Amino acid sequence: MGSAMGKKKKKSKKNKGGITAQDRAVLDLKNARDKLRRFQAKLDAESEQLTTRAAQLLRDGKKDRALLTLKFRRFRQDKANQVDGQLLRLEDMVSAIRWEERQSEVISALREGTDALKRLHEDMGDVAALMDETQDQLEMEREVSALLSGETTDDSDLLAELDAMAAPVLDLPAAPSSLPAAPVGLPAAPSSVPAAPRRPERVAV
């Protein structure tokens, strides 16, 4: 029971360590590959022993047994060749899993990048609205500053209106709607100017 609990805790610790299903599959494939390699090495060693035995039997004049031994060796070699194909398939499977993992990581990174760009674009939209609002506030501030400093374009009409308000109101007769017509002809000027009267001369006493 104690060993079972220990194994259970150990398995839970591995799960917390971040081992994925792909990692387990790759581990199983590598274990199978190692077993096949050990089996292949055993077949190669047996083939060499059978070759040596066949040669010895041939030297001893036991040709039939030497031929049988070579047949056993060929069987071992065929098995070793089959192991080569199985090893190749295992390597392909491991490479395919690792490749798919990398592809998944790339897709995940692209998805996160796309989401980040969307958030940035949304923030840029908020910034544009904020800039517009800030521009409106600046324009309003400029207008208020211009009014307070008297930097208006033309206030003559407003000043005239103020003068009219300040002038006393007098009851004056209404102006005639039309003026009298001017005389058609003027009197002729005299042809000669009358002489000025002479002053009496003073007599000395």
Side-chain angles (χ1 to χ4, degrees):
M1 183 176 179
S3 61
M5 291 295 293
K7 290 181 179 178
K8 188 174 182 181
K9 289 182 179 180
K10 188 176 181 181
K11 184 177 180 181
S12 176
K13 185 176 181 181
K14 285 185 178 180
N15 290 334
K16 289 182 179 180
I19 297 178
T20 63
Q22 291 81 3
D23 294 333
R24 292 184 181 279
V26 170
L27 182 61
D28 293 339
L29 290 171
K30 288 183 176 180
N31 290 333
R33 178 196 62 190
D34 295 339
K35 290 179 181 180
L36 285 174
R37 285 178 176 174
R38 288 193 295 269
F39 179 63
Q40 188 180 42
K42 181 181 178 182
L43 291 174
D44 291 338
E46 290 178 353
S47 297
E48 292 179 0
Q49 293 175 0
L50 290 172
T51 301
T52 303
R53 183 178 179 183
Q56 183 63 41
L57 289 172
L58 185 60
R59 286 193 296 269
D60 294 340
K62 300 177 181 179
K63 184 176 181 181
D64 294 338
R65 294 190 63 181
L67 178 61
L68 182 60
T69 303
L70 292 178
K71 288 181 179 181
F72 278 117
R73 187 195 65 180
R74 184 172 60 185
F75 176 77
R76 297 291 192 280
Q77 290 175 346
D78 291 340
K79 287 294 182 181
N81 293 333
Q82 292 177 6
V83 170
D84 285 334
Q86 293 175 356
L87 286 173
L88 181 60
R89 286 193 293 272
L90 287 174
E91 292 291 346
D92 290 341
M93 185 65 69
V94 171
S95 299
I97 292 175
R98 291 307 186 191
W99 171 255
E100 292 298 330
E101 285 181 343
R102 298 298 177 268
Q103 290 293 102
S104 178
E105 291 174 359
V106 170
I107 292 173
S108 178
L110 289 174
R111 185 180 294 110
E112 292 178 359
T114 302
D115 294 339
L117 285 176
K118 288 181 180 179
R119 290 192 295 270
L120 286 174
H121 290 164
E122 292 175 357
D123 293 340
M124 291 300 294
D126 296 339
V127 170
L130 180 61
M131 292 297 293
D132 293 339
E133 184 178 355
T134 303
Q135 185 65 27
D136 295 338
Q137 294 296 328
L138 290 175
E139 292 294 337
M140 185 179 298
E141 184 179 355
R142 291 192 190 99
E143 293 178 0
V144 172
S145 299
L147 289 174
L148 294 177
S149 61
E151 295 179 358
T152 54
T153 55
D154 186 7
D155 293 342
S156 59
D157 54 344
L158 299 179
L159 293 174
E161 184 177 355
L162 290 175
D163 292 339
M165 291 178 181
V169 179
L170 299 177
D171 295 333
L172 299 176
S177 58
S178 60
L179 297 175
V184 177
L186 295 176
S191 58
S192 60
V193 179
R198 296 179 63 185
R199 294 181 181 180
E201 295 182 355
R202 293 182 180 181
V203 177
V205 178

